Amino acid sequence: MKKTLLVALILLPFSLRAQLTVEKIMRDPKTWIGTSPDGIHWAEDSKTIYFDWNPDANPSDSLYQYSLNDKKLSKVGLAERRRLPAQRGVYNRLRTLKAYAKNGDIYLLDCKTYQVRQLTNTVETEGSPAFSGDEQRIIFEKDDNLFSIALSSGLLTQHTNFKSGTKKAETKKSDEEKWLEGDQLALFDILKERKAKKDSAKKITEAEKPERPKDIYLGEKKVSAQQLSPDGRFVTYRLSKADKSSKKTIVPSFVTQSGFTEDLPARTKVGDPATEFEFWVYDVKKDTMRQVSTKKLPGIGDKPDYLKNYPKQDTAWKKDKVRPVIVHGPSWSEDGRNAVVVVRSLDNKDRWIMTFDPDSLSLKPLDRQRDEAWIGGPGVGGYPQSAGDLGWIDNSTIYFVSEADGYAHLYSLDVKSGEKTQLTKGKFEIHSVLLSKDKQAFYLTTNEVHPGEKHFYKMSVTGGPRTRLTPAKGAYEAELSPDESKLAVRYSNSNTPWELFVMENQADAKPEQITHSTTAAFKAYPWREAKLVTFKASDGADVHARIYEPKKSNGRAVVFVHGAGYLQNAHAWWSNYFREYMFHNLLTDKGYTVLDMDYRASAGYGRDWRTGIYRHMGGKDLSDNVDGANWLVKKYKIDPKKIGIYGGSYGGFITLMALFTTPDVFKAGAALRPVTDWAAYNHPYTANILNEPQLDSLAYRKSSPIYHAAGLKNHLLICHGMVDVNVHFQDVVRLSQRLIELKKDDWELAVYPLEDHGFVEPSSWTDEYKRILKLFEENLR
């Protein structure tokens, strides 16, 4: 009988032998799926690839190396790991030397002999190394000050002396004291002689005193972005001052090792008084500090359009108003003759690229990007604190990324003539930019094949045709070898996690796979390749999505809403939402059709899509999901009364808005760690999209679920970690009270005392997704 049972098991269909359960999906991914390689970087000789990996499912990753000569893969020992140069660093112009920081000290690597020279060995932390303009010194930062070490002599020189607090005022003598002293000197010759000798000695001492950097007192401000000009004459730096009235929130932790409730420090809320920034120049030659004025930037006083909805604020806007900004840079040309800075308004509606003269403090506009929503996009940066991609092609030409034509594209600009050239164009985005060592070509990562694919290209520095270097459907993260002959790439497709490959740096090269990370248990299940589809939104826009199709539909469907807002998930590579991907396979096994779309504001589709939620979150982003549900009814014959929706973070927010404002579309929904009131979220993210609540209250009223909770009439599950320092647990507590006062019945709240925003424990993941599955199984029948 046992033999018969064994034969029967062997003859079972493969898919049945690898049946999915929530418990299986939510196990520790290290032991159940495997760990993909990460942190890919090359040795300077271009013969060895280093990467972080964990094929043995240890508590943490280890450093591995792959030798191209003998094709050997091995773990790097601790002693060797300590000797290895840091992954990141800066090079001299000929790329024969590399300066880097490691473990708080500064090192210099000879890229020809591979000999390492340690330049500092102190208990303090040294960092941010850079070569001086003449490349004879290494400049670095320690304790907020700039120092340099001469490579020939090892001489250590301090270039700045920033001090906290204020300079102690000299004690001034009263008129009475001055008179008495004068009278004493007039009466007694010995006192007069002693004073003359003392004054003479002081004068000699002052004359013999070596030159030291000027004491620069910061008061209550903080210094950052310290930089020495190539000629050594100027130090540029940024000062910042946080508003004392700024109030941070507190997240209480109830389940603690001490047994006492402990308070976790957390962020401020949107609209909190902003940090002020100033840009300064210390002239070493003249021994002076001067602040750079931004009052005359073109458009610095421009009024935002949204104020038209608020007549009092609109008329109160002064013509001479100067919006606060932050200055990034400067970035110097190789010959040290030209410098540019990136200036961004703190309301993030303007970005200026300008030439900068530290002697005259003049700023000359080269390029201005204005967006009534907010400046952003790949290579541009979504926050004012980001300068975006910018570099020098030659001593008079810069390159940068801009959304000027509606998509993130590459531009070059002559800083002398002001002539700007668009180097790439089309309905796609540039995701990364790398200039070749000879500065004759760009290496670009773009999504021009399809919004859901990323490939690596080579293009002339003057623009023109691009040569695609990566072959297969999916996504590539490429690291160019130092000699630029090869590529180390991480590659994945929609149902295969990331693996490491190596290939020649040429078109039609065949990648050679180095790692095999997935476990036998993971590979035993026939994971689906979700179809990439497009459907029309109600306003005519094309919405890209992934669809999971069952072999036999049960007439039920689930719409998954990815998080983060500006994130992409309808793509052909392995998703960060791998647990959700596996859960969708489980649902599809049960007969559900699952739709996962890149709704309005998702990444990958240009400026108009990115800003489609400006001043109304839960507007077009929600209507896209509603249109997706309607498309399922028409295309896949889904029962319109059997559609569920779920998602986490921003996806949880959309789920709430869906159940509150479109209650007839979705029968049930699971909102995981959702934002319930945008006025309680952080400033950098929220103020971009909704402005500030005290200035644009209409946007917050339209966008916050707590104001729409009365519309709930179907089944709602809310799951939230209690020590969430991103979307605070306070959000869901306030919403719960609102639902109680509204006398709503069909909702429940599951809390996770030890979980932050991103869950960690498999037991929490399992509990959460068993509840989600139960919600759909019971309410979509």
Side-chain angles (χ1 to χ4, degrees):
M1 186 172 179
K2 290 182 179 179
K3 184 175 181 180
T4 304
L5 179 61
L6 178 61
V7 172
L9 286 171
I10 293 173
L11 294 177
L12 275 173
F14 182 74
S15 59
L16 291 180
R17 285 187 278 126
Q19 188 174 8
L20 293 178
T21 64
V22 172
E23 288 82 359
K24 178 183 286 188
I25 288 172
M26 300 303 164
R27 285 182 293 176
D28 184 346
K30 292 197 299 291
T31 58
W32 145 235
I33 302 174
T35 303
S36 293
D38 202 1
I40 316 298
H41 60 285
W42 287 88
E44 291 298 327
D45 61 4
S46 299
K47 296 178 181 178
T48 304
I49 302 171
Y50 293 100
F51 57 97
D52 297 321
W53 199 30
N54 190 2
D56 302 321
N58 293 318
S60 60
D61 292 358
S62 298
L63 184 67
Y64 279 76
Q65 62 183 5
Y66 177 76
S67 170
L68 272 65
N69 288 340
D70 56 17
K71 298 186 181 300
K72 183 180 178 182
L73 182 64
S74 60
K75 185 186 289 189
V76 179
L78 181 59
E80 183 181 356
R81 188 169 184 166
R82 286 173 176 167
R83 291 194 298 267
L84 287 175
Q87 178 180 352
R88 304 299 177 192
V90 292
Y91 295 86
N92 62 350
R93 287 187 280 274
L94 296 177
R95 294 184 73 89
T96 56
L97 296 173
K98 174 185 176 181
Y100 62 90
K102 185 175 181 180
N103 299 326
D105 289 310
I106 305 296
Y107 296 81
L108 185 69
L109 171 69
D110 188 314
C111 297
K112 292 183 177 180
T113 64
Y114 310 114
Q115 294 297 309
V116 174
R117 175 183 170 188
Q118 186 169 356
L119 300 180
T120 68
N121 185 8
T122 69
V123 295
E124 295 93 354
T125 298
E126 292 98 16
S128 304
F131 283 91
S132 61
D134 59 8
E135 299 190 335
Q136 299 303 305
R137 295 170 294 157
I138 300 297
I139 302 163
F140 61 92
E141 184 183 321
K142 181 175 71 170
D143 294 331
D144 288 337
N145 282 300
L146 291 181
F147 296 79
S148 69
I149 292 181
L151 296 180
S152 59
S153 65
L155 176 67
L156 177 67
T157 302
Q158 183 171 348
H159 296 278
T160 64
N161 193 28
F162 293 110
K163 295 183 174 183
S164 59
T166 56
K167 185 177 181 179
K168 191 174 182 180
E170 294 182 5
T171 303
K172 292 185 177 180
K173 297 177 181 179
S174 66
D175 292 341
E176 178 192 11
E177 289 172 325
K178 290 178 182 178
W179 184 89
L180 285 174
E181 182 178 337
D183 190 53
Q184 290 291 92
L185 293 173
L187 287 172
F188 304 106
D189 290 340
I190 293 178
L191 290 179
K192 186 187 298 184
E193 290 173 5
R194 288 179 178 178
K195 182 179 184 302
K197 289 179 181 179
K198 185 177 179 181
D199 290 346
S200 177
K202 183 178 179 182
K203 189 174 182 180
I204 294 172
T205 301
E206 290 291 330
E208 293 178 345
K209 189 177 180 180
E211 291 187 8
R212 301 293 190 206
K214 186 180 186 67
D215 293 343
I216 302 176
Y217 288 88
L218 303 176
E220 295 181 347
K221 299 175 183 178
K222 292 184 178 180
V223 66
S224 62
Q226 305 93 313
Q227 189 178 160
L228 189 66
S229 64
D231 61 6
R233 177 181 166 183
F234 302 100
V235 175
T236 55
Y237 56 98
R238 187 165 60 223
L239 296 181
S240 60
K241 182 180 180 181
D243 194 299
K244 284 187 176 181
S245 64
S246 180
K247 186 176 181 180
K248 291 189 175 182
T249 51
I250 294 173
V251 175
S253 178
F254 293 99
V255 182
T256 63
Q257 184 174 329
S258 68
F260 291 90
T261 300
E262 298 174 4
D263 291 335
L264 304 177
R267 55 167 172 78
T268 59
K269 297 180 187 291
V270 60
D272 195 69
T275 297
E276 299 175 354
F277 296 96
E278 301 169 353
F279 186 50
W280 286 75
V281 175
Y282 167 39
D283 188 326
V284 178
K285 181 179 179 181
K286 296 181 179 179
D287 198 31
T288 59
M289 299 98 64
R290 295 176 294 165
Q291 183 179 355
V292 179
S293 174
T294 56
K295 293 181 179 180
K296 295 183 178 181
L297 294 181
I300 188 64
D302 284 2
K303 185 191 308 183
D305 285 353
Y306 75 84
L307 289 186
K308 294 175 182 177
N309 296 129
Y310 305 93
K312 289 184 178 180
Q313 293 183 50
D314 192 48
T315 56
W317 187 278
K318 297 180 181 179
K319 291 183 179 180
D320 59 349
K321 181 180 176 66
V322 176
R323 286 178 292 146
V325 301
I326 182 172
V327 180
H328 300 276
S331 174
W332 290 89
S333 60
E334 282 192 356
D335 62 8
R337 296 180 179 179
N338 296 304
V340 296
V341 294
V342 175
V343 186
R344 296 186 70 148
S345 60
L346 294 190
D347 64 8
N348 211 12
K349 297 185 186 300
D350 280 280
R351 181 186 72 162
W352 298 267
I353 300 176
M354 317 186 82
T355 60
F356 171 61
D357 182 350
D359 191 9
S360 64
L361 303 188
S362 63
L363 294 169
K364 177 184 175 183
L366 295 172
D367 181 80
R368 179 192 178 194
Q369 183 184 341
R370 168 77 176 181
D371 198 314
E372 283 297 336
W374 73 95
I375 300 292
V380 181
Y383 304 127
Q385 282 77 4
S386 172
D389 291 337
L390 183 145
W392 290 88
I393 297 174
D394 55 44
N395 287 320
S396 62
T397 310
I398 62 170
Y399 67 86
F400 62 95
V401 177
S402 172
E403 278 189 328
D405 77 344
Y407 288 85
H409 279 298
L410 186 63
Y411 295 78
S412 64
L413 193 152
D414 189 306
V415 300
K416 294 180 179 178
S417 67
E419 181 181 355
K420 183 171 70 172
T421 304
Q422 186 168 354
L423 301 178
T424 62
K425 191 172 185 179
K427 292 185 176 181
F428 63 92
E429 295 183 326
I430 304 297
H431 287 272
S432 70
V433 181
L434 176 67
L435 186 63
S436 64
K437 287 197 297 186
D438 62 9
K439 299 194 174 185
Q440 297 303 304
F442 283 111
Y443 289 96
L444 309 171
T445 301
T446 84
N447 65 348
E448 58 193 272
V449 169
H450 183 278
E453 292 191 49
K454 290 183 181 179
H455 288 279
F456 200 59
Y457 295 81
K458 186 176 182 179
M459 181 187 75
S460 169
V461 75
T462 57
R466 290 172 294 282
T467 301
R468 178 173 155 181
L469 301 174
T470 47
K473 179 181 179 181
Y476 293 84
E477 298 174 355
E479 288 289 332
L480 190 64
S481 62
D483 65 6
E484 300 189 357
S485 67
K486 293 180 175 60
L487 299 175
V489 297
R490 282 211 328 157
Y491 165 75
S492 77
N493 55 41
S494 62
N495 58 357
T496 305
W498 297 91
E499 297 286 6
L500 176 60
F501 295 75
V502 65
M503 58 183 287
E504 297 295 325
N505 179 18
Q506 59 188 39
D508 302 321
K510 184 179 180 181
E512 172 191 349
Q513 187 167 350
I514 295 175
T515 62
H516 298 270
S517 306
T518 49
T519 66
F522 177 80
K523 290 185 285 189
Y525 178 84
W527 300 102
R528 294 170 178 82
E529 182 178 356
K531 289 183 180 179
L532 290 175
V533 297
T534 306
F535 65 85
K536 287 289 183 182
S538 53
D539 64 356
D542 290 329
V543 181
H544 292 267
R546 296 204 297 186
I547 188 80
Y548 298 77
E549 300 175 344
K551 289 184 178 180
K552 184 178 180 181
S553 173
N554 60 13
R556 294 178 276 178
V558 170
V559 174
F560 170 67
V561 190
H562 69 66
Y566 189 62
L567 181 146
Q568 187 176 8
N569 205 46
H571 51 59
W573 63 85
W574 186 246
S575 175
N576 288 331
Y577 290 97
F578 59 89
R579 292 182 180 88
E580 290 79 356
Y581 167 80
M582 294 186 289
F583 183 63
H584 298 161
N585 273 267
L586 183 154
L587 288 174
T588 310
D589 285 345
K590 292 178 174 292
Y592 289 82
T593 301
V594 181
L595 182 64
D596 170 8
M597 74 188 73
D598 282 339
Y599 52 85
R600 222 66 61 103
S602 296
Y605 306 96
R607 181 267 169 195
D608 290 348
W609 200 264
R610 177 180 66 79
T611 62
I613 58 172
Y614 178 57
R615 299 192 68 212
H616 192 185
M617 300 156 95
K620 289 182 179 180
D621 46 0
L622 174 57
S623 65
D624 286 344
N625 282 279
V626 171
D627 292 337
N630 294 331
W631 178 76
L632 288 172
V633 173
K634 295 176 183 178
K635 175 76 174 177
Y636 288 91
K637 309 303 180 185
I638 297 299
D639 187 333
K641 296 181 180 179
K642 297 180 179 180
I643 302 176
I645 185 171
Y646 89 101
S649 195
Y650 198 95
F653 151 73
I654 288 291
T655 298
L656 291 179
M657 292 294 278
L659 293 186
F660 294 171
T661 66
T662 60
D664 296 324
V665 178
F666 301 101
K667 185 68 174 177
L672 320 176
R673 50 202 178 275
V675 175
T676 69
D677 184 353
W678 286 109
Y681 199 52
N682 70 34
H683 186 92
Y685 178 86
T686 318
N688 276 341
I689 305 171
L690 300 180
N691 303 305
E692 296 183 15
Q694 62 269 34
L695 300 177
D696 196 359
S697 59
L698 293 176
Y700 283 80
R701 289 272 178 170
K702 285 190 296 184
S703 303
S704 297
I706 198 165
Y707 295 109
H708 307 282
L712 177 66
K713 69 178 185 181
N714 287 323
H715 303 277
L716 169 63
L717 166 67
I718 307 173
C719 300
H720 210 122
M722 294 183 73
V723 288
D724 190 335
V725 295
N726 182 9
V727 179
H728 299 158
F729 187 65
Q730 180 190 22
D731 264 47
V732 76
V733 172
R734 294 178 67 236
L735 179 63
S736 297
Q737 180 60 30
R738 181 73 179 137
L739 293 171
I740 291 168
E741 293 182 8
L742 289 168
K743 298 180 174 60
K744 297 297 180 179
D745 298 319
D746 294 327
W747 66 280
E748 62 178 303
L749 170 63
V751 300
Y752 299 86
L754 289 174
E755 295 293 357
D756 197 343
H757 195 61
F759 282 16
V760 175
E761 300 301 328
S763 58
S764 299
W765 282 106
T766 301
D767 181 89
E768 182 179 51
Y769 274 78
K770 285 176 70 176
R771 293 176 186 274
I772 297 170
L773 181 59
K774 181 181 178 183
L775 175 78
F776 294 147
E777 290 282 75
E778 291 183 351
N779 295 291
L780 301 184
R781 288 179 179 175

